[in-house]
Amino acid sequence: MVQLTVGSHRDDATNNVHLSAEKFNRHTFWCGQSGSGKTYALGVVLEQLLLHTRLPMLILDPNADFTRLHETRGTSDTGAADAIASSDIRVLHSTRRDQPQLRTRFLSLPLTSKAAVLQLDPIADADEYNVLLHADATLTDAVDQATYITALRASDNPGHQQLARRIENLQVLDWDLWARGDVAATDVIDERPQATVLDLGGFAHPAEPKVAALSVLEHLWAHRDERRPILIVIDEAHNICPPTATSAVEQLLIDRVVQIAAEGRKFGLWLLLSTQRPTKIHPNVLSQCDNLCLMRMNAPRDLAELADTFGFVPDHMLAQSPEFRQGEALFAGGFIREPTHTHMGTRITEEGGADVAVPLGL
């Protein structure tokens, strides 16, 4: 059994805490309020997975917290630092223009996703939806966004022309997200590097990060029968699978994450969801999680939700969460022998989204 050393017992610094790498084939819920050290601690675990497993990771990163996962900091463990520095870690950016860009292909999206991007309802917009349904089959020469809309405009079919006007009016194909012949995120993920970080935070249109996330999750689900294991790490997961949707794209995202949570495990699609509060996550996703990392949490409602969902955790251990200092956590579930209060270890790699310091002095 491969053991991941993530820190030490909170009350005994000489006694290390280990997680079982094999049990990351169960969904994991990671939570802690702002300032608890949640993102830093998650980085400790991701580093250990890089060092001791061959499990590929897909990291959906809305705040650029993991965009420096390939950069090591000064550490006494030079062997571990060298191993991570030589790992195959790909970072696809939306916040830095001088680095490989996060892109996806509009034409590769499933029909329902395309319709959601174009704000088409199959009932209320039945005619246009039907045109979209059949357009891919009839516009055989359209190989990218530019030729697609050109073909729609040039068609004698009034429905094609109406769909082209909708696309132009929404300015959807002007988004920076689209590949336009470049490498798409799904191409990179299919190569299964040790880690693929998708920097979601730099897009201009608020729908772009959600469409980017939807495109990769739909792709993984479409190819689930290949049974190629991957750990899907969703930081700030309330942006991806909240309890209720505010748009058609968000509803598709919720539905897909719920389906992966319910059925993905047997196909090797395993979730690690990180957020500030359990009540901000769709309950059908939270209920499928077997592993728990809890950091400081003050809200009684949130602790009650965790007690109800993770009934295997003793109440008195959950109740200590409001007293946790930064970097302290409770681990429980299948990936640890027994519920354990932990002081997290130190990072080997740089953290991309550290807090901004208060300016002091004159």
Side-chain angles (χ1 to χ4, degrees), residues 66-147:
F66 298 102
T67 56
R68 300 180 68 188
L69 189 62
H70 57 301
E71 300 178 31
T72 58
R73 59 176 67 186
T75 174
S76 59
D77 193 346
T78 56
D82 290 344
I84 288 182
S86 63
S87 297
D88 186 4
I89 300 171
R90 319 273 186 95
V91 182
L92 303 180
H93 290 268
S94 66
T95 53
R96 292 185 59 181
R97 301 304 177 190
D98 59 333
Q99 297 294 324
Q101 297 294 291
L102 170 55
R103 298 289 183 257
T104 193
R105 297 187 184 96
F106 177 77
L107 297 184
S108 296
L109 293 173
L111 171 67
T112 53
S113 298
K114 286 180 191 155
V117 170
L118 298 177
Q119 302 176 31
L120 283 172
D121 183 271
I123 305 302
D125 307 298
D127 292 339
E128 281 183 273
Y129 192 98
N130 192 260
V131 170
L132 183 67
L133 175 64
H134 296 289
D136 289 353
T138 57
L139 302 176
T140 54
D141 293 331
V143 294
D144 59 30
Q145 287 95 289
T147 55

Side-chain angles (χ1 to χ4, degrees), residues 44-79:
V44 172
V45 173
L46 299 185
E47 291 169 358
Q48 288 292 305
L49 287 167
L50 280 171
L51 287 170
H52 299 293
T53 78
R54 297 174 61 189
L55 173 61
M57 294 184 287
L58 168 63
I59 303 169
L60 305 186
D61 183 8
N63 296 323
D65 288 320
F66 298 102
T67 56
R68 300 180 68 188
L69 189 62
H70 57 301
E71 300 178 31
T72 58
R73 59 176 67 186
T75 174
S76 59
D77 193 346
T78 56

Side-chain angles (χ1 to χ4, degrees), residues 184-202:
T186 50
D187 299 329
V188 176
I189 294 165
D190 280 347
E191 295 178 16
R192 288 299 193 272
Q194 289 171 269
T196 306
V197 181
L198 304 188
D199 169 20
L200 298 171

Side-chain angles (χ1 to χ4, degrees), residues 251-281:
Q251 185 62 62
L252 288 178
L253 259 179
I254 294 170
D255 293 344
R256 182 57 68 219
V257 177
V258 167
Q259 191 162 29
I260 291 173
E263 305 174 38
R265 206 165 63 186
K266 60 180 176 288
F267 298 109
L269 303 179
W270 306 318
L271 296 169
L272 193 164
L273 305 159
S274 176
T275 190
Q276 295 178 10
R277 303 180 62 187
T279 50
K280 296 173 75 171
I281 295 293

